[in-house]
Amino acid sequence: TASCTSPTGQRLDSPSTVPCPRGYFCPAGSSRASACPAGTYNTNPNASSLDNCVPCPSGTYCNFEGSGATDQPVTCSAGYYCQVPSTTKTVVSILAALNPPSWGGIATPATTLTKQIGHVTGSPPTFRCPRGFKCPAGTPAPLECCHGATPDSFNFSCAEYQPDAGKADCVLCPAGFRCAQPQEGAGYALAAIPCPKNHYCPKGSLPIPCMPGTYTSFTNLTS
């Protein structure tokens, strides 16, 4: 028997088929476009499968269904990081949640039985920037505050540290001190130790040796 179907990537709309819009997908036989789920987006028209809905890029989030047309991925908030994926969902659960369900989205073809999903909020609670790190807006992964230290730099001294979680910036080590790296991690807390003899410590620096031919028996020097 004959049946009425639409070409893949198009939807039926009397009197002719209409291209599937950005942010949506249209399996063969679709009478309406299905929105890409929140956390994913699609900037290409004529998409034919859920596979065309990709996770929002690292450092961004997509809090609306159908993102990719007018609603573009948004930069994640400062103090948080947005890595991809944020979670994984089964294809069946995604398609069953559509209104109406779009089982045809599995068949064109679905490359996996699960789907990676990006972030749906700019401040994901489980992705709050940890202590010892900074997360500027749009950060895909936490950035370590204590970096560049070597074993011979006074027990891994740090020029910067961050004792709190959820911060966008690091804190500079105070002038006249060196900030030792704690045992539990890089720059977790301020372990300020006086600038050692024969060195000076400007704000936000590692200990700097005195110029050749000079010395000092004092500690806590800033210049």
Side-chain angles (χ1 to χ4, degrees):
T1 60
S3 61
C4 297
T5 61
S6 67
T8 299
Q10 296 183 325
R11 59 189 173 90
L12 292 173
D13 196 357
S14 180
S16 61
T17 58
V18 176
C20 199
R22 294 178 174 86
Y24 294 76
F25 63 97
C26 301
S30 301
S31 60
R32 60 183 293 177
S34 298
C36 289
T40 69
Y41 76 118
N42 169 35
T43 58
N44 299 313
N46 299 326
S48 60
S49 169
L50 178 62
D51 291 335
N52 298 113
C53 302
V54 297
C56 294
S58 297
T60 69
Y61 68 99
C62 302
N63 57 336
F64 294 106
E65 294 182 347
S67 292
T70 56
D71 297 314
Q72 296 293 322
V74 182
T75 300
C76 282
S77 303
Y80 296 84
Y81 63 101
C82 293
Q83 66 182 28
V84 175
S86 69
T87 188
T88 300
K89 293 184 178 180
T90 64
V91 170
V92 171
S93 68
I94 294 173
L95 298 178
L98 297 175
N99 184 22
S102 178
W103 303 112
I106 288 182
T108 46
T111 56
T112 60
L113 294 179
T114 58
K115 180 76 176 172
Q116 290 186 342
I117 304 295
H119 289 274
V120 297
T121 173
S123 306
T126 56
F127 290 85
R128 191 181 185 205
C129 201
R131 294 185 306 158
F133 295 81
K134 65 178 179 179
C135 297
T139 302
L143 303 173
E144 190 174 355
C145 285
C146 184
H147 56 84
T150 60
D152 58 353
S153 62
F154 297 97
N155 190 30
F156 290 99
S157 294
C158 304
E160 298 179 311
Y161 69 102
Q162 181 49 262
D164 301 316
K167 298 299 182 181
D169 299 299
C170 301
V171 180
L172 296 178
C173 187
F177 293 88
R178 69 177 183 89
C179 296
Q181 177 177 318
Q183 292 292 327
E184 66 270 23
Y188 274 21
L190 172 58
I193 301 172
C195 192
K197 296 178 181 179
N198 295 318
H199 291 78
Y200 63 100
C201 300
K203 183 178 182 179
S205 74
L206 299 176
I208 301 173
C210 291
M211 294 290 291
T214 66
Y215 77 99
T216 178
S217 59
F218 294 101
T219 59
N220 296 96
L221 294 185
T222 61
S223 61

